[in-house]
Amino acid sequence: MGQLEKIYGIHSVESFLNSSPENVVQIFLQKNRNDKTFQQLEALISRQGLKYQLVDKRKMDSWVNGNHQGAIAEVRVNDIQMNEDQLLTLTESDKSVLFLVLDGVTDPHNLGACLRTADAAGVAAVIVPKDKSASLTAVARKVASGAAERVPLVKVTNLARTLRQLKDNGVWVIGTAGEATSSLYESRLTGSIALVMGAEGKGMRRLTREHCDELIKIPMLGSVSSLNVSVATGVCLFEIVRQQSQN
């Protein structure tokens, strides 16, 4: 049946209404708003055969810890459940498969943004260690804009072991590191790939780094030394998509 959660923000609510209207339990909209964006949201709710309740902004503020933009929905969340064994079966296909590995990403905003980008890039699963990683909080779901219900988030007990198993199954493990000598744009990014992104500042842990087949970096032309992890993830994933689409 899935668990009940509140999602908030106009874009998040719209995305859920478009993808899973059958899992919407209740919708709450802020009183005294009649701008064009709200009119479009109201029309979408009506097209889906649903109803909404008008609620005072102060009351809505007390329901969620974040900017709800006047739209909150209570929904039934059905995350894609996948364990480590099922993860490895994805490598048995004749087609190449793309994984995103997040090592030590603890900010739910970054997790949500990475999930959203992963969905757009056709990533088969996002892999994180069980410890010291962000969870699918309401904040992460808001930023993910529906991707949390489409891309499996697989929490593994031992990330190094999982990377080793992926390598044994023919997956090329590529890590990102500022000190790498190879540029993202110089690397051959075809076939089955697991892209490993480290936490901001610290980067990948030593053991994770040791299990990478190759280390790459994004060339930085300005004075900024690094990118936000979700931005860097988007840059890397879509270079992989670009190269693989040409094969």
Side-chain angles (χ1 to χ4, degrees), residues 3-246:
Q3 62 187 41
L4 292 180
E5 288 196 12
K6 282 189 173 70
I7 61 170
Y8 57 92
I10 291 173
H11 190 73
S12 295
V13 172
E14 283 182 340
S15 178
F16 204 97
L17 282 167
N18 282 316
S19 62
S20 304
E22 72 281 1
N23 289 322
V24 176
V25 179
Q26 297 182 87
I27 303 172
F28 306 95
L29 299 183
Q30 182 180 319
K31 282 182 181 177
N32 304 320
R33 279 199 60 170
N34 195 33
D35 52 81
K36 185 177 179 180
T37 302
F38 249 56
Q39 291 172 358
Q40 292 173 341
L41 179 56
E42 290 168 348
L44 175 59
I45 294 169
S46 178
R47 287 198 302 272
Q48 298 291 16
L50 299 170
K51 296 182 178 180
Y52 59 87
Q53 299 177 43
L54 292 174
V55 183
D56 183 75
K57 180 181 182 298
R58 187 176 298 179
K59 189 172 185 179
M60 296 179 76
D61 290 343
S62 69
W63 287 348
V64 296
N65 184 23
N67 183 13
H68 54 72
Q69 300 173 311
I72 299 175
E74 186 177 39
V75 300
R76 191 172 291 106
V77 175
N78 295 303
D79 294 333
I80 303 173
Q81 301 297 318
M82 183 178 290
N83 59 37
E84 295 180 47
D85 291 334
Q86 293 169 322
L87 176 69
L88 294 176
T89 63
L90 296 177
T91 65
E92 296 172 1
S93 169
D94 292 335
K95 296 181 180 179
S96 60
V97 63
L98 178 59
F99 298 104
L100 173 62
V101 182
L102 303 177
D103 186 25
V105 174
T106 56
D107 185 336
H109 286 90
N110 282 334
L111 175 62
C114 287
L115 279 166
R116 185 173 180 177
T117 304
D119 182 38
V123 168
V126 175
I127 304 166
V128 298
K130 284 185 177 177
D131 297 327
K132 297 181 180 179
S133 290
S135 298
L136 277 176
T137 62
V139 170
R141 291 185 189 280
K142 179 180 186 294
V143 178
S145 296
E149 290 80 50
R150 293 190 291 267
V151 181
L153 181 68
V154 186
K155 293 191 173 186
V156 300
T157 305
N158 186 318
L159 183 57
R161 181 182 64 198
T162 299
L163 293 178
R164 194 161 55 244
Q165 290 171 329
L166 288 173
K167 291 167 68 171
D168 290 343
N169 285 31
V171 178
W172 188 250
V173 178
I174 299 177
T176 53
E179 69 277 12
T181 55
S182 297
S183 162
L184 164 69
Y185 304 111
E186 297 168 345
S187 299
R188 184 172 178 271
L189 305 172
T190 55
S192 292
I193 290 176
L195 173 68
V196 186
M197 307 297 298
E200 286 185 64
K202 295 180 180 179
M204 292 180 291
R205 291 174 294 176
R206 178 187 58 81
L207 198 56
T208 304
R209 183 188 305 256
E210 290 175 357
H211 281 81
C212 292
D213 294 305
E214 180 183 1
L215 292 179
I216 61 172
K217 66 179 178 181
I218 299 172
M220 305 294 291
L221 305 180
S223 58
V224 175
S225 61
S226 64
L227 297 174
N228 171 278
V229 64
S230 63
V231 174
T233 296
V235 172
C236 294
L237 283 178
F238 277 95
E239 174 60 16
I240 295 172
V241 169
R242 186 191 70 81
Q243 290 195 25
Q244 298 199 347
S245 67
Q246 293 180 341

